[in-house]
Amino acid sequence: MFGDAAFILQISLKSSVAVLLAALGETLAERSGVLNLGLEGMMLMGALTGFAVGYATGNPWLAVTASCFVGGAMALIHAFFSITLKANQVLSGLSLTMLGMGLSNFLGRGVIGRSGIRLGQMPIPGLSDIPLLGKAVFTQSIFAYAGIVFTVLLALYLSRSRQGLMIRAVGEDAAAADTAGINVVRVRYICTVVGGMLSGLGGAYLSLVYTPGWKEGMTAGQGWIAIAMVVFATWKPSRVLVGALLFGLLTSLQFYFQVTGVELVPVYVLRMLPYLLTIAVLVLVNRVLMRRGADGASGPADLGVPFSRS
């Protein structure tokens, strides 16, 4: 029984990393007032870039860096259209997703099925020896540890730092922030590009750690889950982490039932459950927070609104 619980916990953490990293990036972008629906495309391009660079060079850190760069470069396209040209952010983001999906499918045809590098687990000395919990919690990849650290840092940055206050001010009322001397365009550009880099990092995790290799559509909709998670987590990094862990838990149950041969429901239903139940639970939590009037539950007031200096 304890062994099964430890197995589920370990897989839960592993399955939550990619969506956590992407959702943290989207949280930062949306806090500044930029809605980016291109996460799925950026994650796919990050995954392909990570695998391809690792395959060609054998250097995992170069692969990770390249993935972040590609994710940031794609986000820069979205920033140019939505911030500089003031294009519709929904259409720009959807176009970015289609671009990423099409481009990754086209460029990745030559490396499908090939074996690349794999980033292994990094046990934390001492803590990984704790019975049951040690292997499940403290024997993860560096991406998992980074995801936890990024969550804490982003939460503190947005709530406690002067720069975080500037980002929130831009997202709430860009015109007032501009009057106060904040460079709205620069803040939104930086947040959007950094958010894209985190999406690329999430994609690299999929192709270098979670399921090493490349195949078309390997993100399996996690970019869309990340976008929904940000909204239902009311733009708070700590709640994004909880949502990601919930998604990971439901995904791990799918693996557990398959490994143990338990067939409570058909396999195709099991594959849908992590997505359906995660959204259902997050919607429920969001509605409760809205009814209670929780701080920030309605989101940044200027989210998706182009800024024009009058």
Side-chain angles (χ1 to χ4, degrees), residues 41-252:
M42 292 189 294
M43 290 180 73
L44 280 168
M45 285 301 296
L48 173 62
T49 302
F51 173 78
V53 173
Y55 178 78
T57 66
N59 187 326
W61 305 116
L62 188 59
V64 172
T65 303
S67 295
C68 291
F69 177 80
V70 168
M74 292 193 69
L76 186 61
I77 297 173
H78 177 65
F80 176 72
F81 279 97
S82 62
I83 300 173
T84 301
L85 300 184
K86 302 177 179 57
N88 185 295
Q89 295 184 12
V90 173
L91 294 179
S92 177
L94 291 175
S95 300
L96 195 66
T97 286
M98 290 188 283
L99 172 66
M101 294 174 69
L103 200 58
S104 62
N105 289 347
F106 175 73
L107 297 176
R109 288 182 300 178
V111 293
I112 292 177
R114 298 192 180 184
S115 298
I117 59 174
R118 176 175 190 163
L119 276 174
Q121 298 168 332
M122 296 182 62
I124 298 178
L127 295 177
S128 60
D129 296 327
I130 299 174
L132 297 177
L133 281 181
K135 185 176 180 182
V137 179
F138 301 109
T139 307
Q140 296 287 339
S141 69
I142 191 170
F143 288 81
Y145 304 135
I148 302 297
V149 172
F150 288 164
T151 302
V152 175
L153 290 179
L154 183 59
L156 293 175
Y157 181 73
L158 289 174
S159 62
R160 303 292 177 84
S161 71
R162 181 172 176 272
Q163 291 78 12
L165 178 61
M166 291 168 58
I167 292 171
R168 289 189 286 129
V170 169
E172 292 295 337
D173 191 335
D178 179 65
T179 303
I182 299 174
N183 190 326
V184 174
V185 172
R186 183 170 63 186
V187 169
R188 286 187 167 180
Y189 257 93
I190 293 174
C191 291
T192 304
V193 171
V194 172
M197 294 174 70
L198 286 173
S199 293
L201 188 64
Y205 170 77
L206 293 175
S207 63
L208 296 174
V209 179
Y210 192 60
T211 53
W214 165 253
K215 63 179 180 179
E216 294 180 356
M218 68 182 303
T219 53
Q222 291 196 43
W224 299 112
I225 286 291
I227 294 170
M229 195 173 290
V230 172
V231 177
F232 298 130
T234 62
W235 296 268
K236 294 188 180 302
S238 58
R239 292 175 186 164
V240 167
L241 174 62
V242 174
L245 291 175
L246 173 64
F247 176 80
L249 173 62
L250 295 171
T251 303
S252 70

